[in-house]
Amino acid sequence: MGILVVGSVAFDAIQTPFGKVDRCIGGSATYFSVAASYFGDVSIVAVVGDDFGDEEASVFKGRRINLDGLQRIAGEKTFFWSGEYGFDLNVAKTRDTQLNAFANFQPRLNEQQRQTDVLFLANIHPELQLDVLHQCKRPRLVALDTMNLWIDIKRAELERVMREVDLVIINEAEVRQFMNDSNLVKAARGILALGPKTIVIKRGEYGVLMITSEAVFAAPAYPLETVFDPTGAGDTFAGGFLGYLASRPELHPHEFRRAVVFGSVLASFTVEKFSLDRLREITLNDVQERYAAFRALTHFEDFEV
Amino acid sequence: MGILVVGSVAFDAIQTPFGKVDRCIGGSATYFSVAASYFGDVSIVAVVGDDFGDEEASVFKGRRINLDGLQRIAGEKTFFWSGEYGFDLNVAKTRDTQLNAFANFQPRLNEQQRQTDVLFLANIHPELQLDVLHQCKRPRLVALDTMNLWIDIKRAELERVMREVDLVIINEAEVRQFMNDSNLVKAARGILALGPKTIVIKRGEYGVLMITSEAVFAAPAYPLETVFDPTGAGDTFAGGFLGYLASRPELHPHEFRRAVVFGSVLASFTVEKFSLDRLREITLNDVQERYAAFRALTHFEDFEV
C-alpha cells in the first residue's frame, strides 16, 4: 500500500556561490518521492501546469512512483520558486514565489490513495493537510512538515493538524518559533504535548535530532567536501526517512533511528548537485555504502573511567 | 607527568536570558584544569592579581591541580571579561575586556613543567603560545586553541604555532575564517596541511567534528533542557578531551573518539550553571553516567537494504 505524499511539484531557479540554474525541477513531493522510491512504492498527489510535460515527468520514470494523483491543469503554469544561497549555504533567501497551478489546488484522493499505509503531508497550507488527512482511511503512520509562513499566519490551523499526526518533521528554527522557546529540547517537548509521538528536527549541516517521550537520538549530517545546492535536502530526508519506515513491518524505536540515518544518507546525495541530478544517478549500493560510512562517522566505544 | 595548560585565570561578568552575575571565576585555564583533573594531574601556568585570593583559589582545591605556575602580581588586578548572551545562546557579545595582570604575562616554566607529557596552549597571543611550546622538552601531545582576534591581527604568528602542534581545537567559525572557505571539511583539510594531525572543531550546541587525514568523527552536543550559561564550554571540552588522552598509555584513534565524548560530557555539565558551579559539584560517577547517555543518544544499528 506504500506511501502517499501530498506536496508540490515545481520549477526552481537557484543561485548558489557555485553556480546558478534558471529553471530546474524541484518541489517537496518531487524530492520526497524520488528519495522514498529507493525503498518502496510512492504515490504523488500534486498539481502542475501544462508547461510540465513528459520530458519533465521523466524525473519520476523507471521508479516506483505512481502519478495517478498528479493533476495537469491546462492553461496554467507550474509552481515556481526562485531562491539564493550565500556563503554559508544554511539559509535560502527567497527571491520569488509564483503559486500558479498550485493556487487552487484541492486534492481529491481516489479509493486506492485513501488506503495508503503511510502519509506524508509536505509543506502546504495546514487546511489542505488536514483535508487530505481526513480523506485517508487509517494510515499506519502520518507525518507533516511545515514552514515559518504557516506558523505566522495559520497557527491555529497548523496546531489542529499537529494534534492528529504521529510525526512532525520540521526545521530547528521552526520548532523554536512555534513554541517561542530557544531551548530546542523544551520546545520539542511542547510539540509532543500536542499529540505527535515523535518530532524529527532538521538542522541542515548539523544533522537531525529525533525526540520522543522516551529518548533522544542525534545524527550528524554527512560531512561533505562538495555541498553544491542545499535545495530539497529536507524533503529528501523526509522521503528516505518515511520510505525506509514504510518498508518495515514493525515500527520499533531502532527502526526510527535507522530511518533517520537513511534519510540523512539520501539528503547528503541531493546537496552534491543541482536539483535532483545527484539523487537520480545513485544506486541502492551507493545508499548502503554511505549508510556504512555514517556508522564509521559516529561510532565510539564504551568506556569505564 | 600529566598535562600543562597555559591560559587565563579570570573574573567574568555574565548576562544570559536566565540571569546575571557581576563577578564570578572564569578563564580558559580554570575551566580546562578543573575538567582535566577528573582524569589526572594538571599544572596551571597563568597570572592573577592580588584580588585573586585564597577564597578564589579554592576552585582548584582538593583536585589534582598544581598551582606552582600561577603567578600572583601585587598591585595588579586579575584579567576581567564581561559578556552577554542573547536568545540563542550561541554567540557571546563581549562588553568589556580588561587584561590587567595578563598584559605583561611572560610565562617561565620550571624544570618540572618543561617535562610535561601533554601541553595545552589555550587561547592566548600566538607568540606566547610558541614561546611556551619551545620551553617544553618533548611533550607527547601538543594542542592549541585560538580566537578570531589572532586570526585577524596575528595570522602569520598563529600559522607558525599551528605548524608545530599535533592538534588544533578551534571553533567552527574560526576554521572558516582562517581558511576563508565556507566548506568546513575543506577548510579543516587546509589546516591539516599545515602540519597538525588532528583538528577538533567545536560547534557549540551542535557538538564536535574531529577530522584527521584518515577519518571524520562527529559527536553531537548533549541535548539539555537547561542551558544556563555557555561560558567556558569550549575550554571545559578541551580539558575533558586532553585530560582523558593524557590518562591513556597509547593514543589510538578510538581513544581520540572517546576523548571527544568525555570532553562533550564535561562541557555539558559546565553550561548547566553559572561559572564552574556545576562542574565543581559533579562526581566521576556523573561523568560515567553521561558518557553512557551519549552512547544511547547516538547509537543506531547496522542494516542491509
Side-chain angles (χ1 to χ4, degrees):
Chain A
M1 304 201 292
I3 308 185
L4 186 82
V5 53
V6 53
S8 61
V9 171
F11 289 122
D12 290 344
I14 296 163
Q15 179 153 9
T16 81
F18 315 109
K20 57 179 279 190
V21 57
D22 289 334
R23 185 176 129 133
C24 66
I25 293 171
S28 56
T30 316
Y31 285 103
F32 180 93
S33 62
V34 172
S37 72
Y38 280 93
F39 302 97
D41 295 314
V42 193
S43 295
I44 290 188
V45 173
V47 65
V48 291
D50 53 17
D51 53 353
F52 196 95
D54 289 347
E55 193 192 320
E56 286 78 14
S58 70
V59 69
F60 303 115
K61 216 172 158 180
R63 300 182 181 277
R64 299 165 70 175
I65 300 176
N66 182 307
L67 297 179
D68 291 351
L70 184 66
Q71 300 171 48
R72 196 177 294 175
I73 313 283
E76 280 279 13
K77 287 170 141 189
T78 299
F79 182 93
F80 175 76
W81 178 78
S82 170
E84 179 180 350
Y85 299 86
F87 181 73
D88 85 351
L89 289 175
N90 279 315
V91 185
K93 192 177 148 197
T94 292
R95 293 194 295 201
D96 191 13
T97 303
Q98 298 169 18
L99 290 179
N100 298 330
F102 211 76
N104 298 306
F105 183 40
Q106 281 294 345
R108 286 265 116 356
L109 308 192
N110 65 30
E111 193 48 38
Q112 200 192 350
Q113 290 161 346
R114 288 167 195 253
Q115 308 280 349
T116 190
D117 181 42
V118 173
L119 173 64
F120 183 56
L121 306 164
N123 168 30
I124 54 174
H125 193 300
E127 284 174 356
L128 278 191
Q129 291 181 318
L130 199 62
D131 179 56
V132 170
L133 173 54
H134 287 168
Q135 292 181 50
C136 291
K137 293 282 165 69
R138 285 190 62 82
R140 184 164 62 130
L141 196 62
V142 180
L144 73 77
D145 188 7
T146 191
M147 70 184 294
N148 52 358
L149 175 70
W150 309 127
I151 299 175
D152 281 336
I153 67 170
K154 294 288 167 191
R155 197 196 151 79
E157 293 80 352
L158 176 57
E159 197 175 310
R160 205 174 315 140
V161 200
M162 277 203 191
R163 289 182 182 281
E164 299 195 28
V165 304
D166 304 297
L167 250 158
V168 172
I169 302 177
I170 185 174
N171 287 334
E172 177 173 41
E174 292 156 3
V175 179
R176 293 188 157 115
Q177 182 195 355
F178 188 77
M179 294 306 299
N180 192 27
D181 194 326
S182 69
N183 185 288
L184 203 58
V185 183
K186 276 201 278 191
R189 299 225 184 278
I191 289 177
L192 294 181
L194 294 176
K197 288 184 281 297
T198 306
I199 176 165
V200 176
I201 302 168
K202 298 177 285 182
R203 311 172 105 184
E205 67 167 318
Y206 301 110
V208 168
L209 211 54
M210 178 171 65
I211 302 183
T212 67
S213 61
E214 319 269 287
V216 180
F217 175 59
Y222 192 72
L224 292 166
E225 294 199 42
T226 313
V227 178
F228 199 78
D229 169 20
T231 308
D235 295 307
T236 305
F237 169 83
F241 178 81
L242 289 177
Y244 173 75
L245 285 179
S247 76
R248 309 310 297 158
E250 307 245 16
L251 298 181
H252 295 303
H254 69 270
E255 297 287 20
F256 278 79
R257 290 182 173 224
R258 285 171 169 161
V260 165
V261 178
F262 276 118
S264 304
V265 163
L266 270 303
S268 77
F269 286 114
T270 288
V271 303
E272 290 181 332
K273 290 189 178 176
F274 271 132
S275 187
L276 292 96
D277 291 357
R278 183 74 179 119
L279 192 58
R280 291 173 70 178
E281 70 189 9
I282 58 171
T283 65
L284 203 52
N285 190 49
D286 295 324
V287 173
Q288 285 181 178
E289 275 181 24
R290 195 161 283 180
Y291 186 98
F294 256 90
R295 296 257 306 165
L297 172 68
T298 58
H299 180 75
F300 62 93
E301 291 168 32
D302 221 345
F303 188 74
E304 297 279 310
V305 180
Chain B
M1 305 204 289
I3 309 186
L4 185 82
V5 53
V6 53
S8 61
V9 172
F11 289 124
D12 289 344
I14 296 163
Q15 181 153 7
T16 81
F18 315 109
K20 57 179 279 192
V21 56
D22 290 332
R23 185 175 127 136
C24 65
I25 294 172
S28 57
T30 316
Y31 285 103
F32 179 93
S33 61
V34 172
S37 72
Y38 280 93
F39 301 96
D41 295 315
V42 194
S43 294
I44 289 188
V45 173
V47 64
V48 291
D50 53 15
D51 54 352
F52 197 94
D54 290 347
E55 193 190 320
E56 285 78 13
S58 69
V59 68
F60 303 115
K61 216 172 156 180
R63 299 180 183 277
R64 299 164 71 174
I65 300 177
N66 181 307
L67 298 179
D68 291 352
L70 184 66
Q71 301 170 48
R72 196 175 296 175
I73 312 285
E76 280 281 15
K77 286 170 142 187
T78 299
F79 181 94
F80 174 77
W81 177 78
S82 171
E84 182 179 348
Y85 299 86
F87 182 72
D88 87 350
L89 289 175
N90 279 316
V91 185
K93 192 177 145 197
T94 292
R95 293 195 295 203
D96 191 12
T97 304
Q98 297 168 19
L99 290 179
N100 298 330
F102 210 76
N104 298 304
F105 184 39
Q106 281 295 343
R108 289 262 101 23
L109 308 191
N110 65 30
E111 193 46 40
Q112 200 194 346
Q113 290 160 349
R114 288 167 195 254
Q115 308 281 350
T116 190
D117 181 43
V118 173
L119 173 64
F120 183 57
L121 306 163
N123 166 30
I124 54 173
H125 194 301
E127 285 174 356
L128 278 191
Q129 291 181 319
L130 199 62
D131 179 57
V132 170
L133 173 53
H134 288 167
Q135 291 181 51
C136 291
K137 294 281 164 70
R138 285 189 61 82
R140 182 165 62 131
L141 196 62
V142 180
L144 72 75
D145 188 8
T146 192
M147 72 185 291
N148 51 358
L149 175 69
W150 309 126
I151 299 175
D152 281 335
I153 67 171
K154 293 288 166 191
R155 197 196 152 81
E157 292 81 352
L158 176 58
E159 197 175 311
R160 206 173 313 140
V161 200
M162 277 201 190
R163 290 184 182 280
E164 299 197 26
V165 304
D166 304 297
L167 247 158
V168 171
I169 302 176
I170 187 174
N171 286 334
E172 177 172 42
E174 293 155 2
V175 179
R176 294 189 157 114
Q177 183 195 354
F178 188 77
M179 294 306 299
N180 193 28
D181 194 326
S182 70
N183 185 289
L184 203 58
V185 183
K186 276 202 276 190
R189 300 225 184 277
I191 290 177
L192 293 182
L194 295 175
K197 287 183 283 296
T198 306
I199 176 165
V200 176
I201 301 168
K202 298 177 286 182
R203 312 173 106 184
E205 66 167 317
Y206 301 110
V208 168
L209 211 55
M210 178 169 66
I211 302 182
T212 67
S213 61
E214 318 270 285
V216 180
F217 175 59
Y222 192 73
L224 292 164
E225 293 201 45
T226 312
V227 178
F228 198 77
D229 170 20
T231 309
D235 296 307
T236 305
F237 169 84
F241 177 81
L242 290 178
Y244 173 74
L245 285 179
S247 76
R248 310 308 299 159
E250 307 245 18
L251 298 181
H252 296 304
H254 69 268
E255 297 288 20
F256 277 80
R257 290 182 173 223
R258 285 172 170 161
V260 165
V261 178
F262 275 119
S264 304
V265 163
L266 269 303
S268 75
F269 286 115
T270 288
V271 302
E272 290 182 334
K273 290 189 177 176
F274 270 132
S275 186
L276 292 96
D277 292 357
R278 183 75 178 118
L279 192 59
R280 291 173 71 178
E281 70 189 11
I282 57 170
T283 64
L284 203 51
N285 190 51
D286 294 324
V287 174
Q288 284 178 181
E289 275 181 23
R290 195 161 285 180
Y291 187 98
F294 256 89
R295 295 258 304 166
L297 171 68
T298 57
H299 180 73
F300 62 93
E301 289 166 35
D302 221 344
F303 188 73
E304 296 280 311
V305 180

